[in-house]
Structure formats: structure tokens, C-alpha cells
Amino acid sequence: MSYRTGDFDGASAFDDGVSLLITGPSTVTTEGLLDAVAPDDGERAVLITMNTGPKTIVKELERRGADRDQIGIIDCTNAETDVEGVPVRRLNSPGDLTGISLEFAKLLGQNDDESVRARVGVASVSTALMYTEPRTMFRFLHVFTARIRSGEMFGVFSLDPTMHDEKAYNTIRSVFDCEAEMTADDVSLSGTGYE
Amino acid sequence: MADGDDQPTVLVVEDERALIELYVRWLENDFEVLTAEGGEAALEQFGEDVDVVLLDRLMPGMSGDEVLEAIRAQTSDCKVAMVTAVEPDFDVIDMGFDDYLTKPIEREELLETIDRLLSRSEFDSIEQELYALSSKQAALRASKPKEELDENEEFAELQARIDELQADLDTTLPEMGDDEFVAMVRDIEADDSGGESPDSEGGDQ
């Protein structure tokens, strides 16, 4: 099986277990990330947000056809907002990686059936990198993408390369199966795991 | 201490003599097995060569929790499976052990748990080497033009090794579960905070 998406440089589906990095200016990549994680029927979407409030996330996902009961949010923005009908777990800092992993496990564990079809969005890796060492982030992303692979989920992560030195950017990008480089009016996709 | 053979070392800590004997019988073919009949004895036996500790939680004298704390103060490399009387809640992953087994333990279950913990140690070390090589490669990328790198032998070797490690990493833990995921992230954070106690400075930022 695979996860259907809108058009990404000619691709329209990503294989089970794949993690995609979307790079570019954050206004553009957040839109691209929401497009990619909007769930189909029978799927769930878990968003770990550090740069966009839960209200906006839910509104944008609904605009893309999602129902509220498909959505789960881990909010690291300190927005302090509730959204009716959507579980929102709050964390104090985007740097609390253990907290993120624990809440993630709890949100997905709510469904008892073994194989949950789930899309996972992290917006953004750039924000998280302001609170963690690149080495810690690299190792976290490795474990996270391994979990996504073993659970046959679809991971989507965004990053703004201009916020990091070239070395940090090149190190982080090597974790992902594929990368979509976005500008205001163009996408270029490279790597593996899509068709 | 001496690495005369390549068998991983398991330290069994249990106050019931009969159980120690049972576990040793199950483990001795595949592992170097050390035993301790209590917490104090466990810390005497513990050293860098221990890969996995099977630790009974409820013991007279020094408890399993206290032993765990003392072990964690020494190293974060070794994996600890806590043996409990009741199934603990999910959140106890925060308490610092890597996995748990509930009594009575069965042979298959014990062997599987130890194998998983050893795979996790392997994942950790592959991942650390991968980071070292990836950042080296990233530094080369940032400092040299692409045409030059295409002909650079060191860069090609680096890429080959990275591909190899990446493939190893993908096969080391094919079935990562939720509590395993959380425990591994916790270990990464504990490792990289460089010995600082995680709750010494509140969550203000």
C-alpha cells in the first residue's frame, strides 16, 4: 500500500514507511507539509507542531478534507488553545524529545487495532534545532524515522535550510528517504520511496 | 573483562537462588553470565563488560531501583531489563530501565528480551558512527565544489560506508514498538545531556 498525496513534482503517492523532508522557506514548506499529511479515509494524521497553533492546523487540515476524529496534535507552541473534538497534547518545549515520543506513542496507542494507517507531520525540524544539539536531533530523527518505517506510517518533516549552516543541513537531510525542495512556485523531489 | 570470546555478558541480579540457577541454565549457552544474589553484590560485579542486566526489582536490602540508579550514574551504555511482580504502566519508561519482564519469566521471553536489548545497543553504536561520518561528509560538501568531490576518493569511500551503515541500521531493528521507541529517545537525550540530571533545571525553555 501507499499514501496518496497531491502532486509533488510528478509524484502522487509515497510508499509505506517512507519519511519525506520538505525544505524551503517556512511559509511554503508548512503548506506543503499540510498537503502531504492531510489524511485519506481510514487514515489518521498526527501533527507535532512547533511553529503553527493547533487551531490553524485543524482548520487547514479540514480545508484539505480531514475530519476532526482523524487528527491528533502534539503542541509545542505554548498556544494554550483547545480544539473541540481533537486530542491536543501540550509540551513546554520543542526540545523535549522524550515528551514528544511519549505523547506520540499515546496518541497512536489510542487505537487498539494493530495496523493504524497514519501520517506524521513535524513542523518544523528547524524550530526543534533551536532547542537541541544537531547531534541529538540527528539521532532522534533516526529513531523516529525507524519507528515510522516499522509502523508503515508516512513521515513528513519540514526544514528551512537558510536557518542552519550548510554542514548541519547536509547532515540532517541524510536521515530521510526523500526530499522535496520547495520555492514559492516550484517543487523538486529527489530520493526514493515515491511514485 | 578480557574479550577472550565474543559472547555478550549478562548480569543476573535476583535474591532467589533457585531462580538464578534457572536463568543461568537458560542463558549460559549464548552468553557470558555473571550472577549476584542482591543489590550490593550486583554493584561489585558490575563493570564496563556488562552488556545487559537482568534486575529483580523487589529484593531485601538494596532494591532494584537503587541498583538501577547506581548503574545509570556510571554508564548509559548498558541495557537494563527490570523484573517486576506486576506489569508496570507505560509511563514508567521515564524511570530509566530499558525493558521489563513480569514474573514468572519464560525461557523464550527472556532470550527474546535480551536479544532485543542487544540489537538496541547495536543500533546505538551504528547510529553514532553514522553521525560522525555524515557530519564529516557534510563538512566536505560545504567546503569543496561538487565536481571536485565526484573525483575525490575519500568522499566516495565515505559514501560507501554510510550506505552500508544505513542498510545495517534498517535491518537491526525491523520491528520497533512504541515503548521501545520512547525508551530509545530517552536514552539519546540522557546520553547527549552529558551527565546532567534531566530534572535539575525545570522546563522553563
Side-chain angles (χ1 to χ4, degrees):
Chain A
M1 286 189 61
S2 60
Y3 290 89
R4 290 193 302 131
T5 61
D7 183 66
F8 270 91
D9 191 19
S12 59
F14 290 81
D15 297 342
D16 287 1
V18 159
S19 286
L20 163 72
L21 179 68
I22 300 182
T23 53
S26 64
T27 43
V28 179
T29 55
T30 302
E31 288 291 313
L33 181 131
L34 288 164
D35 287 341
V37 297
D40 264 356
D41 289 347
E43 294 176 357
R44 301 200 60 207
V46 175
L47 271 291
I48 300 164
T49 179
M50 300 155 186
N51 62 7
T52 311
K55 269 205 172 110
T56 311
I57 300 262
V58 171
K59 194 181 77 190
E60 288 296 320
L61 285 176
E62 282 182 317
R63 208 162 63 79
R64 289 164 170 81
D67 290 327
R68 292 198 173 196
D69 61 8
Q70 292 179 287
I71 305 171
I73 294 178
I74 299 169
D75 178 20
C76 310
T77 65
N78 287 315
E80 299 286 330
T81 45
D82 280 319
V83 185
E84 209 189 317
V86 176
V88 178
R89 312 275 193 162
R90 290 202 189 85
L91 291 172
N92 286 329
S93 161
D96 180 5
L97 303 179
T98 305
I100 288 174
S101 62
L102 197 56
E103 295 302 342
F104 176 77
K106 285 185 192 161
L107 272 178
L108 280 181
Q110 284 182 341
N111 289 36
D112 278 341
D113 40 314
E114 279 284 299
S115 59
V116 187
R117 304 283 300 162
R119 303 181 187 223
V120 184
V122 177
S124 71
V125 175
S126 291
T127 313
L129 270 169
M130 293 195 278
Y131 297 84
T132 56
E133 292 298 315
R135 184 184 126 99
T136 309
M137 199 59 206
F138 177 90
R139 298 183 62 198
F140 169 72
L141 290 172
H142 254 296
V143 175
F144 200 8
T145 53
R147 175 72 192 103
I148 286 168
R149 190 177 311 115
S150 82
E152 302 191 326
M153 298 176 253
F154 173 37
V156 187
F157 301 70
S158 64
L159 179 140
D160 181 351
T162 62
M163 285 174 67
H164 316 285
D165 64 57
E166 207 179 333
K167 184 178 169 226
Y169 167 46
N170 279 327
T171 308
I172 294 290
R173 72 199 297 199
S174 71
V175 176
F176 300 91
D177 301 293
C178 46
E179 179 173 340
E181 293 176 71
M182 293 185 80
T183 60
D185 41 29
D186 196 34
V187 189
S188 126
L189 186 64
S190 59
T192 58
Y194 52 84
E195 56 196 280
Chain B
M1 299 285 155
D3 43 354
D5 57 57
D6 285 342
Q7 285 187 331
T9 301
V10 179
L11 171 59
V12 176
V13 187
E14 166 62 63
D15 59 303
E16 279 182 60
R17 188 72 233 164
L19 282 179
I20 290 190
E21 278 164 19
L22 183 67
Y23 299 157
V24 168
R25 213 159 49 236
W26 288 345
L27 296 172
E28 64 190 354
N29 281 339
D30 303 311
F31 306 100
E32 185 76 32
V33 186
L34 303 173
T35 61
E37 271 185 73
E40 290 83 359
L43 293 182
E44 276 166 32
Q45 290 274 15
F46 186 76
E48 266 178 32
D49 53 327
V50 175
D51 299 293
V52 175
V53 181
L54 184 69
L55 181 60
D56 190 24
R57 191 167 198 184
L58 207 64
M59 295 182 292
M62 202 175 181
S63 75
D65 290 332
E66 287 167 319
V67 177
L68 176 65
E69 204 176 308
I71 288 174
R72 283 291 177 248
Q74 282 185 47
T75 174
S76 55
D77 286 346
C78 148
K79 302 293 177 202
V80 178
M82 191 71 96
V83 180
T84 60
V86 283
E87 184 136 336
D89 187 67
F90 204 46
D91 290 71
V92 294
I93 285 173
D94 276 343
M95 296 184 56
F97 49 82
D98 298 287
D99 208 339
Y100 59 81
L101 290 156
T102 41
K103 282 185 174 179
I105 304 172
E106 283 169 31
R107 183 173 178 275
E108 281 307 302
E109 192 190 5
L110 178 62
L111 292 173
E112 261 170 38
T113 302
I114 291 174
D115 278 345
R116 293 295 291 179
L117 290 174
L118 290 169
S119 295
R120 265 165 62 181
S121 295
E122 202 185 324
F123 189 98
D124 289 348
S125 64
I126 295 174
E127 172 203 71
Q128 284 180 44
E129 189 184 349
L130 200 53
Y131 178 71
L133 296 184
S134 298
S135 47
K136 197 168 164 190
Q137 192 191 40
L140 279 175
R141 271 218 180 92
S143 68
K144 288 191 165 53
K146 191 176 175 305
E147 304 76 56
E148 206 177 306
L149 287 177
D150 286 345
E151 297 182 0
N152 185 318
E153 214 168 289
E154 189 199 359
F155 190 79
E157 276 171 26
L158 211 50
Q159 185 60 55
R161 181 70 185 135
I162 287 173
D163 291 346
E164 206 178 305
L165 287 172
Q166 194 75 58
D168 286 350
L169 200 62
D170 290 350
T171 52
T172 305
L173 275 180
E175 299 283 327
M176 187 193 292
D178 271 339
D179 36 10
E180 201 161 28
F181 167 56
V182 178
M184 287 178 78
V185 172
R186 183 209 59 207
D187 287 352
I188 290 171
E189 279 202 301
D191 245 22
D192 288 1
S193 67
E196 261 174 68
S197 154
D199 35 13
S200 63
E201 48 175 318
D204 52 345
Q205 251 306 351

